[in-house]
Amino acid sequence: MAQRTANVAGTPSAPAARPPSAWDALRYPVFRSLWLATVVSNVGSWMYNAASGWLMTSLSPSPLIVSLVQVANSLPLFLFALPAGALADMLDKRRLILALEVLTTVFSAVFALLITLHAVSATLLLVFIFVLGILAALEAPAWQAIVPLLVPESALSSAVAVNSVGVNISRVLGPAVTGVIIAGLGIAAPFWLDAFSNAGVIGVIFRWRTPPRTALRTLPAERLMGAIRAGVRYARYNHALRATLVRAVGFFLFASAYWALLPLVVRSQLQGGPALYGTLLAAIGAGAVGGALFLPRMRARVGADGLVVLGEAGTAAALVLFGLAHQPWVAVLACLLAGISWIGVLAMLNVSAQTVLPDWVRGRGLAVYVTVFFGTMTIGSALWGLLAEHFGLGPAHYVAAGGALIALWGTRRWKLRSGPAVDLTPSMHWPPPVLAEGVDKDAGPVLVTIEYQVAAENREAFLAALVPLAYERLRDGAYDWNVFEDTAHPERMIETFLSDSWLDHLRQHRRVTRADRAVEDHLQRFTRGPPRITHYIAARPQRSPH
């Protein structure tokens, strides 16, 4: 086969120009190998999820306790995703993933051994699910952040979609065979298979070499808490990412109902066993795989927002069917519809989150998305389990369906970014600060003033053009921003912003993108001449030598 992709460092090179395809990402050997290994690993993970839910129904009949399986799976991602995202941006992503994959294998094997010895209680089951969830949480942002290192930007949407297809292929295979394996080999067998299912991932990551760090990474690494604050600040002031997060909350809060309550629907409402439970989980996966095949066509027809609306409406309909399901065929229909709806919404949200983040904050930005995703799933799972405990499975599903429709209406103004992706590569166009003498990197706070000359007729247009620039300053590291006009000379406008330290301000210079430069160039249309930039550092009295 012709060498199309990876150089010795593992950086993909662009293939010859051709019409884009939904499967473009699989043309890159490292991505393809990792994708195949991940499918195998995810088959094991879905076997583990299905077996855990079913094992809990035999350890405790309480709807609330059973729903805590989903809580224990998702809560770690809510609690640890932000620190994990900071670590992903601070450390070598390959080494971080490799270490966590090995730890996951060890803990999974210990878990399987305890189940084999019949030494697992409901509490111990939740504890191990939670511990393994912590390892998954620490890995998730780094795992998502390496995708742009495996394929070029032109194939990023394909990579996200192909990864979603891989997850749902495993979702079909894993649960479908879990019931058969439990019936033939016992409840411990799926856990043993899961423990060693990620051997292929470990092998590919071990052999892969990440691209060398660019020359831009010459500043000291951020401290953990500072890196977390920077990620949260970026999410707060990035409107496109905030829209993605709002739409995610509106969907996952209510879609979590069928994930949390499905084991009880099978055991209590359908009077079924593990084979039926595995079949229904497989039906969700099959619906997702089938839906993924139509994603490009549907997105071209209705757009990203339209596809999310259809997915939210389909989820509400599926929830109603789950509440009505007293025959297996109704439950299968509900699962197929749920899977189709899930992939439509999830794919659009994932692509949106990936494409609005520059490299320097990609891990943390994705961690914010993961935190919202799994935090909402955690709250939703506990909520629907509690509701089912007091009012029954049917009413819990009906309330979730109604809430999904209300959320669909309430989040409609938050539009996902569509159209060509903006250029988020560093522009490096800010001139270096003029220094009379050396400056301590920890000195601060730093005040930056930018003086503009603005004609009276351009005043309103200038102030309007400053709005996106204000978000840029705050997003990239400033903690305060203002604009002032001179009372004696109304044409003199001064923009000010504050950073915590000189080092933080230097990082701002590295974070400005080419898209930001276009915003600044647009602002210059309403000014006379270039702006005058001045830097100030907080003055501190010199200490006496005695």
Side-chain angles (χ1 to χ4, degrees), residues 424-440:
L424 298 178
T425 54
S427 63
M428 299 300 294
H429 72 280
W430 281 13
V434 176
L435 301 175
E437 57 185 30
V439 176
D440 184 352

Side-chain angles (χ1 to χ4, degrees), residues 28-107:
Y28 300 91
V30 177
F31 178 86
R32 183 170 61 247
S33 297
L34 191 57
W35 183 82
L36 291 171
T38 303
V39 169
V40 174
S41 177
N42 284 338
V43 169
S45 297
W46 280 105
M47 292 171 64
Y48 155 81
N49 288 336
S52 296
W54 190 253
L55 177 60
M56 184 59 84
T57 64
S58 65
L59 296 173
S60 173
S62 167
L64 179 59
I65 297 299
V66 173
S67 71
L68 289 180
V69 171
Q70 180 64 40
V71 172
N73 265 315
S74 55
L75 182 59
L77 284 146
F78 171 68
L79 296 176
F80 297 101
L82 276 174
L87 290 174
D89 287 329
M90 295 166 60
L91 304 177
D92 183 283
K93 296 177 181 63
R94 171 184 168 273
R95 293 182 179 180
L96 180 62
I97 291 172
L98 189 60
L100 290 170
E101 285 288 332
V102 171
L103 282 175
T104 298
T105 298
V106 172
F107 275 94

Side-chain angles (χ1 to χ4, degrees), residues 398-460:
Y398 302 146
V399 172
L405 292 176
I406 293 172
L408 189 160
W409 179 83
T411 60
R412 69 192 187 283
R413 73 183 183 89
W414 294 90
K415 305 296 184 184
L416 301 181
R417 176 172 287 172
S418 58
V422 297
D423 190 347
L424 298 178
T425 54
S427 63
M428 299 300 294
H429 72 280
W430 281 13
V434 176
L435 301 175
E437 57 185 30
V439 176
D440 184 352
K441 287 184 169 59
D442 291 325
V446 175
L447 170 66
V448 180
T449 66
I450 308 173
E451 181 180 329
Y452 305 93
Q453 296 296 324
V454 183
E457 63 271 17
N458 290 333
R459 180 181 183 278
E460 295 306 316

Side-chain angles (χ1 to χ4, degrees), residues 149-161:
L149 303 178
L150 302 173
V151 298
E153 185 177 350
S154 60
L156 182 58
S157 294
S158 168
V160 173

Side-chain angles (χ1 to χ4, degrees), residues 458-508:
N458 290 333
R459 180 181 183 278
E460 295 306 316
F462 170 81
L463 292 175
L466 266 180
V467 173
L469 199 60
Y471 279 101
E472 173 203 317
R473 314 296 199 206
L474 293 167
R475 183 199 67 201
D476 287 350
Y479 66 83
D480 187 58
W481 178 93
N482 277 293
V483 60
F484 301 90
E485 56 185 330
D486 191 332
T487 57
H489 304 281
E491 293 189 352
R492 182 170 176 254
M493 295 276 189
I494 296 182
E495 176 195 2
T496 70
F497 59 90
L498 286 159
S499 301
D500 284 321
S501 68
W502 185 249
L503 182 57
D504 284 334
H505 178 63
L506 294 179
R507 289 194 175 106
Q508 282 184 276

Side-chain angles (χ1 to χ4, degrees), residues 243-268:
T244 303
L245 299 179
V246 169
R247 298 300 288 269
V249 170
F251 175 70
F252 295 125
L253 181 62
F254 303 100
S256 63
Y258 66 80
W259 288 112
L261 300 177
L262 188 59
L264 288 170
V265 169
V266 174
R267 185 179 283 273
S268 302

Side-chain angles (χ1 to χ4, degrees), residues 330-462:
V330 178
V332 170
L333 180 61
C335 289
L336 290 171
L337 181 57
I340 294 170
S341 303
W342 178 268
I343 189 62
V345 178
L346 189 65
M348 293 304 98
L349 294 177
N350 283 353
V351 169
S352 178
Q354 284 275 8
T355 55
V356 301
L357 293 167
D359 287 341
W360 71 267
V361 76
R362 187 179 300 277
R364 283 164 283 182
L366 292 172
V368 172
Y369 170 70
V370 168
T371 299
V372 169
F373 180 169
F374 286 98
T376 308
M377 290 287 287
T378 299
I379 294 170
S381 297
L383 173 65
W384 306 121
L386 188 62
L387 201 63
E389 179 94 16
H390 291 283
F391 301 102
L393 291 171
H397 284 101
Y398 302 146
V399 172
L405 292 176
I406 293 172
L408 189 160
W409 179 83
T411 60
R412 69 192 187 283
R413 73 183 183 89
W414 294 90
K415 305 296 184 184
L416 301 181
R417 176 172 287 172
S418 58
V422 297
D423 190 347
L424 298 178
T425 54
S427 63
M428 299 300 294
H429 72 280
W430 281 13
V434 176
L435 301 175
E437 57 185 30
V439 176
D440 184 352
K441 287 184 169 59
D442 291 325
V446 175
L447 170 66
V448 180
T449 66
I450 308 173
E451 181 180 329
Y452 305 93
Q453 296 296 324
V454 183
E457 63 271 17
N458 290 333
R459 180 181 183 278
E460 295 306 316
F462 170 81

